[in-house]
Amino acid sequence: QVQLVESGGGLVQAGGSLRLSCAASGRTASSYAMAWFRQAPGKEREFVAAIRWSDGNTNYADSVKGRFTISRDNIKNTVYLQMDSLKLEDTAVYYCAAGLSRNSWYYNEYDYWGQGTQVTVSS
């Protein structure tokens, strides 16, 4: 089992920044990749960014490329999402996810999920 706890969400004005954190505990050594997803009201959950534990390789959704940065701290078993130049359409609940196999990286198939943290961008 892997437990994930997100933090760092909140209310921010458009153009501002937030940093989300995801602290992982449990069988974290088994994780292949970690990712952030988001779900806006009335919309499907969508992929935002992912990072591979072994080499730090990253992947981003086109909608956030150049604005968001995913990073990891292997010692703290924590993944971060730095969000800059936030837009109104970034408003959503952001979820952290952990994947145990290569399927997480290549097919977005993640095994464990956090409870989510709300990010609201205002005009």
Side-chain angles (χ1 to χ4, degrees):
Q1 292 282 338
V2 176
Q3 294 79 40
L4 304 171
V5 178
E6 302 102 331
S7 61
L11 175 64
V12 63
Q13 284 192 323
S17 299
L18 277 177
R19 189 177 82 154
L20 304 183
S21 299
C22 174
S25 60
R27 295 182 59 187
T28 57
S30 301
S31 295
Y32 187 89
M34 299 282 288
W36 289 95
F37 288 75
R38 66 186 181 187
Q39 187 167 19
K43 294 189 176 181
E44 297 283 323
R45 185 167 58 191
E46 64 174 359
F47 168 79
V48 175
I51 188 164
R52 199 158 53 188
W53 277 118
S54 60
D55 57 9
N57 200 4
T58 59
N59 189 25
Y60 295 92
D62 288 342
S63 58
V64 306
K65 277 182 183 176
R67 300 189 299 122
F68 290 12
T69 303
I70 189 170
S71 62
R72 77 200 194 292
D73 184 326
N74 287 14
I75 303 300
K76 295 182 179 179
N77 285 330
T78 300
V79 173
Y80 304 97
L81 185 68
Q82 177 67 41
M83 305 185 294
D84 298 318
S85 302
L86 282 161
K87 303 177 180 180
L88 297 179
E89 52 264 41
D90 294 319
T91 295
V93 177
Y94 283 71
Y95 297 92
C96 178
L100 304 182
S101 73
R102 297 170 75 253
N103 287 351
S104 58
W105 181 256
Y106 293 103
Y107 303 110
N108 272 351
E109 294 177 2
Y110 286 82
D111 302 285
Y112 297 99
W113 297 84
Q115 293 298 309
T117 185
Q118 176 71 45
V119 171
T120 302
V121 183
S122 65
S123 59

